[in-house]
Amino acid sequence: MVTVAAVAVTAVLVLSATITAALAVFAYRNRDVPGAPPFAALMVLLANWTLTYAVGINLADPFWRLVVLRVQWVSNALLSVTLLLFVLAYTGRDGFVSRRSVALICAFPALVLVAVWTNHWHHLVWSEQAITFVDGMVILVPSYEPLFWAYLVYVYGLEAITIALVLQLVYRSEHLYADQSILLLVGITTPLLANVVEVFLLDGAVAVDYTPITFAISGLAFGYALFRRQLFDLVPATRLLGRRTAVGQLDAGIVIVDTDRRIVYCNEAAGEVFDVAPAEVLGHPMRTVVDEDAIDFDADDALAEITREDRTYEIRVSEVTDRHGTLLGHTLVVHDVTARKRRERELASQRDELARVNDLNAVIRGVNQALVSARTREDVEHAVCDRIVESDRYRQAAIADAGTWRGESDRWTVASDGGLPETVPPDIDRPGIWDDTATSDDAETDDPPVPELGDGDDGVWVIVPLVHGHTVYGALGLYTDRNSVGERERTILGELGRTIGHAINAVETNQLLAADTVVALELASETDDDPLVAATADGDVAFELAAIVPGGSGATAYLRTRDCDAETATAALADTGTGEARVVRSGVEGLVEWRVTGDALLGSVVDHGASIRHAEAADGVARYELDIASHDSVRTLVEHLEARFPEACVRSKSERESALESARGLSEEQLSELTDRQREVLEVAYRAGYFEWPRDSNAEEIAETLDISSATLHAHLRKAEERVLSELFQEP
């Protein structure tokens, strides 16, 4: 007979099963979240227990009633195990979960479940299940045997552990998960209390089992936690596992000592730092792994540094106290600060180098001021050495030509501070300073090499080549008691060497122009390294120098052809591969323009400041007649030619009166207002026949020769013409 009570209980049970089944589906869809898979299994077991009980209370047939009971026992046996696995995963303690641990936990419930299905053979779980009717519902009244009571103790133990884990979550999470945890506790403890009442308090009384009915409360609590309290959005496992991962990946060494300085904890990172096995040093004094004198235990958050092999470590010491402030020990956190220390040293070195560079720039400004008033090469050398030593940047400065540096002569200019005797650096004979710098095509743009001499223990000598164009006038040696010189400082010194080389070239050129007497040299060359020799080797071409115009990027020579047309001569000169050549005036007595580089003997002579009175080449022999200001310049030029053009020879050397001034219509003083570039442009235009009519060369051709634009050429020409004409026509 169907009663209102039976319908009401059945409806509540079906509602509970529906809620828990829906939660199982939702959890399964979010199975990637920690704890979601066991939660889904838990909801399935609750739904099974609730639904089978709802079916059972409406079955009067004893056989089918017991069949449904055995199906219900699937949930009874596995529910507590699944609940524990869910809480372990949800709180981030799934490290305890493994195949072996799950098998051990499930072993006894599985044994009980087998015993339930075979109970009619041995009666270990119950001896009888009496059927009675209460308000139209079929109720079983069991007589339990020892296996049931043992299983009940096991289940209550698992649920006690589960409740303890949830309470611990509330305490350790600083109440971040309090709402979730309270709802979980409601869902767990409500059926547990109902089961305790049913088993122990009713004591066999005939009544409906309220345990599956309370599953409706569990379903509502779990559902509210899921949808309203972010059960799977704010997961405790993230916090716990994140902290565990952070600590596990922390590369800092951690050592904990008690008040007697005995090690009570040492992690792997600290063991690697101190080269010990963490387990083996537990209980040992701290002094067995590190010098205690280097560590201040009396100050809280004290810092100390230790060095192990080539690594530097920073140790932070912090006190460990209880809630009453009683000192229990100290924690030592060890950080590897090698990279930071290296960076600090690099920054300090960079600051020191920057300060040295600033001081060096001040020195160079003083040197430049001294060079302005120098009138001879000796003045240049003395001014440079004295100014550098006065600056205290270097203890000693020495300048000499290449022969002196190689130990072949003794022409030193030396300056020293008061605490260091005047000495000279060791002999230097290396191609990287003398030959390569003098012959490199990039000598105009690249800084010459600035090597160091010495092992750094007693200071070093810095060698600075003195370069102008392709000419090396010698080297400046600077001694410092530092153990090395930075790259930036050497770069600046290289620029200083170019400045000094330019000053030497300038004073020697001025000496040549102003001298009453000059040194006259006659050179002969038969080497194929000389382009004029190579171009005339076949005997079909002959040249005579008409003029040569020095320039900042190379000289421009104008060659008259003899007994050959200009086109053939130009082609022969171009075939040598040294500088560009073009026809200025065609014909047998033509004119060829040739851009001369330092690879040519003619270019080397010009770079050394010599004035070329006459030059010709025919039948594979080139002859040059030169005027040079001083014997020192002659020596420098000859040394260079012997190294670069060994087959060239000096035919004669003599002194004669200078006739340079009389060769010009305007004096050097009158032309002093022209810039070097304006003079070069004006003379190249004149030599190239730009002012002839008809013109031998147009503006575009001359601009191409000088590697400038046509507009720039016209600007230089007009300014130069205006200044020259003003000198000619201005009123007295």
Side-chain angles (χ1 to χ4, degrees):
M1 178 180 178
V2 179
T3 63
V4 175
V7 172
V9 171
T10 301
V12 171
L13 292 172
V14 172
L15 176 62
S16 176
T18 303
I19 293 174
T20 52
L23 293 177
V25 173
F26 181 83
Y28 182 76
R29 290 179 177 176
N30 295 272
R31 53 187 177 275
D32 294 333
V33 179
F39 182 82
L42 178 65
M43 294 299 101
V44 169
L45 294 176
L46 291 180
N48 175 69
W49 190 333
T50 308
L51 190 59
T52 53
Y53 191 76
V55 173
I57 62 176
N58 291 284
L59 282 177
D61 186 293
F63 174 78
W64 290 109
R65 184 66 181 86
L66 290 178
V67 170
V68 172
L69 176 64
R70 290 185 172 91
V71 175
Q72 177 185 319
W73 259 90
V74 174
S75 296
N76 294 20
L78 300 178
L79 186 63
S80 298
V81 174
T82 307
L83 182 60
L84 176 62
L85 295 177
F86 159 66
V87 173
L88 287 173
Y90 186 70
T91 58
R93 293 178 173 83
D94 54 352
F96 298 101
V97 179
S98 63
R99 291 184 179 181
R100 182 177 181 181
S101 61
V102 172
L104 290 175
I105 296 174
C106 294
F108 187 52
L111 176 64
V112 172
L113 186 59
V114 172
V116 167
W117 281 85
T118 60
N119 187 73
H120 55 283
W121 290 335
H122 47 71
H123 301 288
L124 293 177
V125 183
W126 64 76
S127 59
E128 182 183 7
Q129 289 282 1
I131 296 179
T132 186
F133 294 90
V134 176
D135 293 331
M137 293 177 286
V138 180
I139 306 300
L140 294 177
V141 182
S143 298
Y144 293 119
E145 296 300 326
L147 184 58
F148 171 80
W149 298 110
Y151 169 71
L152 194 63
V153 172
Y154 183 79
V155 167
Y156 285 173
L158 293 181
E159 296 204 4
I161 295 173
T162 302
I163 293 172
L165 291 174
V166 176
L167 291 174
Q168 187 184 54
L169 172 64
V170 176
Y171 176 75
R172 290 191 174 182
S173 65
E174 301 171 350
H175 306 289
L176 177 63
Y177 307 101
D179 294 343
Q180 301 173 356
S181 302
I182 291 173
L183 291 171
L184 289 178
L185 285 174
V186 171
I188 295 171
T189 57
T190 302
L192 177 62
L193 293 175
N195 186 259
V196 170
V197 171
E198 194 270 335
V199 174
F200 294 103
L201 299 183
L202 295 182
D203 194 20
V206 179
V208 175
D209 184 2
Y210 289 100
T211 302
I213 295 177
T214 57
F215 288 161
I217 299 176
S218 298
L220 291 174
F222 290 151
Y224 190 78
L226 190 64
F227 294 107
R228 302 293 293 179
R229 294 300 177 184
Q230 299 176 302
L231 184 67
F232 288 150
D233 293 335
L234 196 61
V235 182
T238 304
R239 175 187 173 99
L240 182 61
L241 295 177
R243 292 173 60 180
R244 186 184 304 165
T245 301
V247 173
Q249 294 179 350
L250 189 66
D251 58 358
I254 299 176
V255 179
I256 302 176
V257 298
D258 60 15
T259 53
D260 295 326
R261 312 283 168 77
R262 290 175 303 200
I263 300 174
V264 296
Y265 175 78
C266 177
N267 68 352
E268 291 292 338
E272 293 179 1
V273 172
F274 300 121
D275 195 21
V276 295
E280 295 178 0
V281 298
L282 296 181
H284 289 68
M286 184 66 189
R287 62 177 177 272
T288 60
V289 297
V290 69
D291 183 12
E292 290 188 11
D293 294 336
I295 302 174
D296 185 5
F297 286 96
D298 297 327
D300 194 21
D301 284 337
L303 289 177
E305 282 188 8
I306 62 172
T307 302
R308 293 280 176 147
E309 297 179 353
D310 59 343
R311 313 295 296 178
T312 303
Y313 299 93
E314 183 182 81
I315 302 179
R316 180 179 294 276
V317 183
S318 302
E319 294 182 348
V320 179
T321 60
D322 61 12
R323 60 188 300 182
H324 302 293
T326 303
L327 180 65
L328 302 178
H330 292 84
T331 298
L332 289 77
V333 181
V334 185
H335 293 280
D336 187 342
V337 294
T338 305
R340 190 187 75 193
K341 289 295 181 181
R342 184 183 301 116
R343 180 59 179 163
E344 290 175 354
R345 289 192 296 268
E346 290 175 354
L347 290 176
S349 176
Q350 290 174 1
R351 286 194 297 270
D352 293 342
E353 183 179 1
L354 183 59
R356 289 193 294 269
V357 168
N358 289 335
D359 292 344
L360 182 60
N361 285 328
V363 173
I364 291 176
R365 286 194 294 271
V367 171
N368 290 336
Q369 292 173 359
L371 292 177
V372 172
S373 59
R375 293 293 179 262
T376 66
R377 176 167 179 169
E378 289 75 15
D379 291 344
V380 170
E381 294 177 354
H382 284 290
V384 169
C385 292
D386 292 340
R387 286 300 182 98
I388 289 178
V389 171
E390 288 173 3
S391 68
D392 295 331
R393 292 303 309 162
Y394 299 94
R395 302 289 306 279
Q396 187 166 308
I399 290 182
D401 55 22
T404 300
W405 279 101
R406 287 195 290 260
E408 300 167 358
S409 56
D410 187 11
R411 295 184 291 271
W412 290 103
T413 300
V414 180
S416 175
D417 66 11
L420 190 69
E422 288 193 359
T423 59
V424 295
D427 297 341
I428 303 175
D429 187 8
R430 58 175 67 179
I433 298 177
W434 312 122
D435 298 337
D436 289 355
T437 303
T439 60
S440 171
D441 288 337
D442 298 327
E444 287 290 342
T445 57
D446 291 347
D447 290 328
V450 182
E452 294 179 4
L453 297 179
D455 56 11
D457 295 335
D458 299 322
V460 294
W461 279 93
V462 186
I463 310 303
V464 184
L466 308 181
V467 180
H468 176 70
H470 294 272
T471 303
V472 180
Y473 287 100
L476 166 66
L478 302 174
Y479 175 78
T480 174
D481 50 14
R482 289 174 279 151
N483 56 12
S484 66
V485 175
E487 187 66 29
R488 185 182 301 179
E489 184 175 353
R490 283 194 275 174
T491 299
I492 295 176
L493 289 175
E495 296 173 356
L496 174 61
R498 296 173 67 85
T499 301
I500 299 172
H502 179 78
I504 293 174
N505 177 268
V507 297
E508 291 189 345
T509 301
N510 289 335
Q511 285 180 326
L512 179 63
L513 295 174
D516 295 332
T517 61
V518 294
V519 179
L521 283 184
E522 183 179 346
L523 304 177
S525 171
E526 298 183 20
T527 175
D528 288 340
D529 291 337
D530 186 345
L532 292 180
V533 173
T536 61
D538 293 338
D540 298 332
V541 175
F543 293 108
E544 182 181 0
L545 181 66
I548 186 164
V549 183
S553 58
T556 305
Y558 293 90
L559 306 174
R560 285 191 291 266
T561 59
R562 295 188 317 200
D563 302 326
C564 65
D565 62 87
E567 287 77 7
T568 302
T570 302
L573 194 58
D575 289 341
T576 63
T578 53
E580 298 179 356
R582 72 178 183 89
V583 176
V584 175
R585 186 169 58 247
S586 301
V588 175
E589 298 294 330
L591 186 67
V592 176
E593 181 186 80
W594 177 37
R595 291 292 289 175
V596 185
T597 66
D599 288 340
L601 191 148
L602 185 62
S604 297
V605 168
V606 173
D607 284 343
H608 278 75
S611 174
I612 305 175
R613 287 187 290 108
H614 180 71
E616 60 181 11
D619 298 324
V621 179
R623 296 179 178 84
Y624 304 89
E625 295 178 10
L626 319 174
D627 286 340
I628 304 179
S630 66
H631 289 280
D632 287 341
S633 300
V634 171
R635 184 169 51 250
T636 302
L637 174 59
V638 171
E639 288 176 350
H640 170 73
L641 295 180
E642 289 176 349
R644 180 66 184 88
F645 306 97
E647 296 185 20
C649 61
V650 178
R651 291 290 181 86
S652 66
K653 173 183 175 183
S654 62
E655 288 189 1
R656 71 179 186 86
E657 292 184 0
S658 174
L660 291 175
E661 186 67 28
S662 62
R664 294 184 177 272
L666 294 175
S667 67
E668 281 297 315
E669 189 173 329
Q670 289 174 312
L671 295 175
S672 61
E673 291 188 8
L674 291 178
T675 66
D676 292 342
R677 192 58 163 168
Q678 288 170 355
R679 290 187 63 167
E680 179 186 6
V681 169
L682 186 62
E683 188 168 357
V684 167
Y686 172 76
R687 301 293 182 185
Y690 176 75
F691 299 105
E692 299 283 345
W693 190 260
R695 289 175 175 171
D696 293 331
S697 300
N698 57 36
E700 287 73 18
E701 292 173 329
I702 297 175
E704 184 178 357
T705 297
L706 296 172
D707 196 22
I708 59 177
S709 67
S710 180
T712 303
L713 173 73
H714 284 293
H716 285 309
L717 278 178
R718 289 186 179 278
K719 291 178 182 178
E721 290 168 352
E722 190 275 333
R723 290 181 179 178
V724 170
L725 293 175
S726 66
E727 288 292 332
L728 289 175
F729 300 119
Q730 66 183 353
E731 294 289 337

